[in-house]
Amino acid sequence: MLIGYARVSTDDQNLDLQCDALEKAGCAQIFTDRVSGTKAERKGLTEALSHLREGDTLVVWRLDRLGRSLRHLIDTVTDLQERGIGFKSLQESIDTTTSGGKLVFHIFAALAEFESQIIKERTQAGLSAARSRGKSGGRPKALTEKQEQMLRNLAADKDRSVEDICKTLGISRTTFYRYVNADQM
């Protein structure tokens, strides 16, 4: 059975073009969403995915109607294949129920993996370059050296409560204990 899924990003846009194409393709049932593709929760897609059974095929008008990103698209289609469900995109002429469609989709998956690895390598190279120039990444310290010294002096005074010290320095209890415990190591 062919199950269709159509999505538009805003209420101003119209689903008719997609729904007409899906009906013409022979979809027995069409699920729809009026939500941005970047949103993780799409009720129509969730319903369509839960309605699909082994041997069925999910049909979309274009690839970008299904996936939030290439990685999300690949994960979704891979999940469908594991469940014995086909996938078909009308505009891109991709049909994973055919050997040619599977090949095209695997090429997409390989390109996505390649892109991911390149981004990772560039990030690592950038971090290494920054470290070699004396820069360190991460969140800046909560306290300056002067404030750190003040915290040590206040913490050494056993008459002061942790709450008073935190209020004086404008820090949380967690930050207080992080600095105190770091001194004890």
Side-chain angles (χ1 to χ4, degrees):
M1 178 186 301
L2 299 178
I3 303 295
Y5 174 69
R7 180 187 60 77
V8 291
S9 299
T10 66
D11 288 330
D12 297 341
Q13 294 174 331
N14 196 317
L15 285 163
D16 292 345
L17 171 71
Q18 293 177 54
C19 289
D20 290 348
L22 293 170
E23 285 174 12
K24 188 176 177 186
C27 292
Q29 195 167 2
I30 299 171
F31 295 89
T32 63
D33 275 320
R34 289 184 185 274
V35 64
S36 169
T38 60
K39 300 291 182 192
E41 187 176 322
R42 293 184 273 165
K43 290 182 181 171
L45 178 59
T46 302
E47 288 176 20
L49 294 174
S50 67
H51 190 78
L52 290 161
R53 301 290 174 252
E54 188 173 345
D56 289 347
T57 300
L58 178 65
V59 183
V60 295
W61 182 62
R62 280 183 39 184
L63 288 173
D64 66 346
R65 301 295 88 198
L66 177 63
R68 296 190 319 263
S69 64
L70 184 56
R71 178 84 263 154
H72 178 255
L73 178 67
I74 289 167
D75 290 345
T76 302
V77 175
T78 301
D79 179 55
L80 291 174
Q81 287 178 335
E82 288 171 359
R83 293 172 48 198
I85 298 167
F87 172 74
K88 188 174 189 178
S89 173
L90 300 177
Q91 291 295 302
E92 290 85 3
S93 299
I94 295 173
D95 184 352
T96 62
T97 62
T98 67
S99 57
K102 284 180 185 174
L103 172 66
V104 169
F105 198 76
H106 285 293
I107 290 170
F108 280 169
L111 289 172
E113 184 66 29
F114 176 70
E115 177 188 35
S116 174
Q117 289 299 318
I118 287 191
I119 290 170
K120 193 175 186 179
E121 288 172 10
R122 273 188 282 196
T123 301
Q124 292 302 321
L127 290 171
S128 288
R131 276 189 221 105
S132 70
R133 289 189 303 276
K135 305 234 181 215
S136 62
R139 189 176 186 164
K141 290 190 170 192
L143 300 176
T144 64
E145 285 184 35
K146 189 175 180 179
Q147 289 173 319
E148 243 182 281
Q149 187 57 49
M150 190 183 300
L151 177 110
R152 284 190 201 97
N153 294 339
L154 292 171
D157 181 2
K158 300 300 177 192
D159 293 334
R160 289 193 176 263
S161 70
V162 172
E163 188 177 337
D164 288 340
I165 296 170
C166 290
K167 280 183 183 176
T168 302
L169 295 173
I171 60 173
S172 68
R173 293 176 77 87
T174 304
T175 301
F176 171 84
Y177 285 111
R178 186 178 309 118
Y179 279 94
V180 169
N181 290 337
D183 286 344
Q184 294 173 358
M185 291 181 180

